[in-house]
Amino acid sequence: MNISQYEAFLKTIELGSLTKAAQTLGYTQSGITHMLNALESEFRLKLLNRDRSGATVTSDGKQLLPYIQAVLNCQHNLNNKLDEIHRLESGLIRVGTFTSVSAQWLPGMIKNFRLDFPKIQFELLHGTYQENGKWLMDGRLDCAFVRVPANKQLETIFLRRDPIVVVLPENHPRAHDAFFPISDLSKYPYIKLYEGADDEISEIFTIHQIAPNVHFVEKDDYAVIAMVEKGLGISILPELVLKNTSRKVVYKELEIPSYRDLGIAVKDTTMLSTSAQIFLTYVQTWISKEYS
């Protein structure tokens, strides 16, 4: 067994393809095939089902998955500790994020951090609030941006309250109103941002017992804004998504204001690498300066 075999196994499961895993990890397909064959031979188990359509994990492989992930996490922590000894001359910080934070916050945060620690690398994993929390608990991430309150098993630092607003085309009848009436949410065609069944936008409709007139469901925040600009409907989005947008849209607070509280979470601060701990302080400093 070696760590490279474990990495090849996990990356193949993640991507569902030996070819894609080989390309991502920098191996030839024959090379990664040899590594996986050797791992199966050593374990005396079939770990992957492989055919022309791709690769899937077997039931035996699925049982071993969390243990293999744990070994890699320990190796990751060991490498980070060695990097710390060498004065942060190298290292990797794994961050869970989502669209609005990736576009509006992370570039500035990472830029400031790398001015002082230019050799530290970042791996960004995009997911929903729930996915980011799960990836933290599974050990796939060092820290993640989440909605507060998050999973009680996580340690969370509150960062900022972000208003939830109604997005309208510039020529909408309500475009010049001071706020958007709650009762009008069902009056116009609605473009739904799919974030999962438990997001703060769905909660607005639930709390006020309103059924939106959904015409479209879209996963990308910025695609929703483009559709609103073209007059295909109205939508509700966090204000952070709309920062610096060049689209011809307006946004209004709701008659009864709504918010999402954003924070950054870790599984256990005592287990964080020094580089990740320092990054957390840079995140908080950047927020403080940006919104002072």
Coordinates of all heavy atoms in Angstrom, one line a residue, residues 166-185 187-188 234 250-253 255:
V166 N -35.3 41.0 -3.4 CA -36.1 40.6 -4.6 C -35.4 41.3 -5.8 O -35.1 42.5 -5.8 CB -37.5 41.0 -4.5 CG1 -38.3 40.6 -5.8 CG2 -38.2 40.5 -3.3
V167 N -35.1 40.5 -6.9 CA -34.4 41.0 -8.1 C -35.4 41.2 -9.2 O -36.2 40.3 -9.5 CB -33.3 40.0 -8.5 CG1 -32.4 40.7 -9.6 CG2 -32.5 39.6 -7.3
L168 N -35.4 42.4 -9.8 CA -36.4 42.8 -10.8 C -35.7 43.3 -12.0 O -34.6 43.9 -11.9 CB -37.3 43.9 -10.2 CG -38.0 43.7 -8.8 CD1 -38.6 44.9 -8.4 CD2 -39.0 42.5 -8.9
P169 N -36.3 43.2 -13.2 CA -35.8 43.9 -14.4 C -36.0 45.4 -14.2 O -36.9 45.8 -13.4 CB -36.6 43.3 -15.5 CG -37.9 42.7 -14.9 CD -37.5 42.3 -13.5
E170 N -35.2 46.2 -14.9 CA -35.3 47.6 -14.7 C -36.7 48.2 -15.0 O -37.1 49.2 -14.4 CB -34.2 48.3 -15.5 CG -32.8 48.2 -15.0 CD -31.8 49.0 -15.8 OE1 -32.1 49.3 -17.0 OE2 -30.8 49.4 -15.2
N171 N -37.4 47.6 -15.9 CA -38.7 48.2 -16.3 C -39.9 47.5 -15.5 O -41.0 47.7 -15.9 CB -38.9 48.0 -17.8 CG -38.9 46.5 -18.2 OD1 -38.6 45.6 -17.4 ND2 -39.2 46.3 -19.5
H172 N -39.6 46.9 -14.4 CA -40.7 46.2 -13.7 C -41.5 47.2 -13.0 O -41.0 48.3 -12.6 CB -40.1 45.3 -12.6 CG -41.1 44.3 -12.0 ND1 -41.8 44.7 -10.9 CD2 -41.4 43.1 -12.3 CE1 -42.6 43.7 -10.6 NE2 -42.4 42.7 -11.4
P173 N -42.9 47.0 -12.9 CA -43.8 48.0 -12.2 C -43.3 48.3 -10.8 O -43.7 49.4 -10.3 CB -45.1 47.2 -12.2 CG -45.0 46.3 -13.3 CD -43.6 45.9 -13.4
R174 N -42.6 47.4 -10.1 CA -42.2 47.7 -8.7 C -40.8 48.2 -8.6 O -40.2 48.3 -7.5 CB -42.3 46.4 -7.9 CG -43.7 45.9 -7.7 CD -44.4 46.7 -6.6 NE -45.7 46.2 -6.2 CZ -46.6 46.9 -5.4 NH1 -46.2 48.0 -4.9 NH2 -47.7 46.3 -5.1
A175 N -40.2 48.5 -9.8 CA -38.8 48.9 -9.8 C -38.4 50.1 -9.0 O -37.3 50.3 -8.5 CB -38.3 49.0 -11.2
H176 N -39.4 51.0 -8.8 CA -39.1 52.3 -8.2 C -39.7 52.3 -6.8 O -39.7 53.4 -6.1 CB -39.7 53.4 -9.0 CG -39.0 53.5 -10.4 ND1 -37.7 53.9 -10.6 CD2 -39.5 53.3 -11.6 CE1 -37.4 53.9 -11.8 NE2 -38.5 53.5 -12.5
D177 N -40.3 51.2 -6.3 CA -40.9 51.2 -5.0 C -39.8 51.1 -3.9 O -38.7 50.6 -4.2 CB -41.8 50.0 -4.8 CG -43.1 50.1 -5.7 OD1 -43.2 51.2 -6.3 OD2 -43.9 49.2 -5.7
A178 N -40.1 51.5 -2.7 CA -39.1 51.5 -1.6 C -38.8 50.1 -1.2 O -37.7 49.7 -0.8 CB -39.6 52.3 -0.4
F179 N -39.8 49.2 -1.3 CA -39.6 47.8 -0.9 C -40.6 46.9 -1.7 O -41.5 47.5 -2.4 CB -39.9 47.6 0.6 CG -41.2 48.0 1.1 CD1 -42.4 47.2 0.9 CD2 -41.4 49.3 1.7 CE1 -43.6 47.7 1.3 CE2 -42.7 49.7 2.1 CZ -43.8 48.9 1.9
F180 N -40.4 45.6 -1.6 CA -41.3 44.7 -2.4 C -42.3 44.1 -1.5 O -41.9 43.4 -0.5 CB -40.5 43.7 -3.1 CG -41.2 42.9 -4.2 CD1 -41.2 43.3 -5.5 CD2 -41.9 41.8 -3.9 CE1 -41.9 42.7 -6.5 CE2 -42.6 41.1 -4.8 CZ -42.6 41.5 -6.2
P181 N -43.6 44.2 -1.8 CA -44.6 43.6 -0.9 C -44.5 42.1 -0.9 O -44.4 41.4 -1.9 CB -45.9 44.1 -1.5 CG -45.6 45.2 -2.4 CD -44.2 45.0 -2.9
I182 N -44.6 41.5 0.3 CA -44.6 40.0 0.4 C -45.7 39.4 -0.4 O -45.6 38.4 -1.1 CB -44.8 39.6 1.9 CG1 -43.6 40.1 2.7 CG2 -45.0 38.1 2.0 CD1 -42.3 39.3 2.5
S183 N -46.9 40.0 -0.4 CA -48.1 39.5 -1.1 C -47.9 39.4 -2.6 O -48.6 38.6 -3.3 CB -49.3 40.3 -0.8 OG -49.1 41.7 -1.2
D184 N -46.9 40.2 -3.2 CA -46.7 40.2 -4.6 C -45.8 39.1 -5.1 O -45.5 39.0 -6.3 CB -46.2 41.6 -5.1 CG -47.3 42.6 -5.3 OD1 -48.4 42.3 -4.8 OD2 -47.0 43.7 -5.9
L185 N -45.2 38.4 -4.2 CA -44.2 37.4 -4.6 C -44.9 36.3 -5.4 O -44.2 35.6 -6.3 CB -43.6 36.7 -3.3 CG -42.6 37.6 -2.6 CD1 -42.1 36.9 -1.3 CD2 -41.4 37.9 -3.5
K187 N -47.4 37.0 -7.5 CA -48.1 37.6 -8.5 C -47.4 37.6 -9.9 O -48.0 37.6 -10.9 CB -48.3 39.1 -8.1 CG -49.1 39.9 -9.1 CD -49.3 41.4 -8.6 CE -50.0 42.3 -9.6 NZ -50.2 43.6 -9.1
Y188 N -46.0 37.5 -9.8 CA -45.2 37.5 -11.0 C -44.5 36.2 -11.3 O -44.3 35.4 -10.4 CB -44.2 38.6 -10.9 CG -44.8 40.0 -10.6 CD1 -44.8 40.5 -9.4 CD2 -45.3 40.8 -11.7 CE1 -45.3 41.8 -9.1 CE2 -45.8 42.0 -11.5 CZ -45.8 42.5 -10.2 OH -46.4 43.8 -9.9
I234 N -39.1 37.4 -11.9 CA -38.4 38.0 -10.8 C -37.8 36.8 -10.0 O -38.0 35.6 -10.3 CB -39.4 38.7 -9.9 CG1 -40.4 37.8 -9.2 CG2 -40.1 39.8 -10.6 CD1 -41.2 38.4 -8.1
V250 N -32.6 45.7 -10.9 CA -32.7 46.4 -9.6 C -33.1 45.4 -8.5 O -33.6 44.3 -8.8 CB -33.7 47.6 -9.6 CG1 -33.3 48.6 -10.6 CG2 -35.1 47.0 -9.9
Y251 N -32.8 45.7 -7.3 CA -33.2 44.8 -6.2 C -33.7 45.6 -5.1 O -33.3 46.7 -4.8 CB -32.0 43.8 -5.8 CG -30.7 44.5 -5.5 CD1 -30.4 44.8 -4.1 CD2 -29.8 44.7 -6.4 CE1 -29.2 45.4 -3.8 CE2 -28.5 45.2 -6.1 CZ -28.3 45.6 -4.8 OH -27.1 46.1 -4.4
K252 N -34.7 45.0 -4.4 CA -35.4 45.6 -3.4 C -35.5 44.7 -2.1 O -35.7 43.5 -2.3 CB -36.9 45.9 -3.8 CG -37.0 46.8 -5.1 CD -36.5 48.2 -4.8 CE -36.6 49.1 -6.0 NZ -36.1 50.5 -5.7
E253 N -35.4 45.3 -1.0 CA -35.6 44.6 0.2 C -37.1 44.2 0.3 O -38.0 44.9 -0.2 CB -35.2 45.3 1.5 CG -33.7 45.4 1.7 CD -33.4 45.9 3.1 OE1 -34.3 45.9 4.0 OE2 -32.2 46.1 3.3
E255 N -40.8 43.7 2.1 CA -41.6 44.4 3.0 C -41.3 44.0 4.5 O -41.2 44.9 5.3 CB -43.1 44.1 2.7 CG -44.1 44.7 3.6 CD -45.5 44.3 3.3 OE1 -45.6 43.4 2.4 OE2 -46.4 44.8 3.9

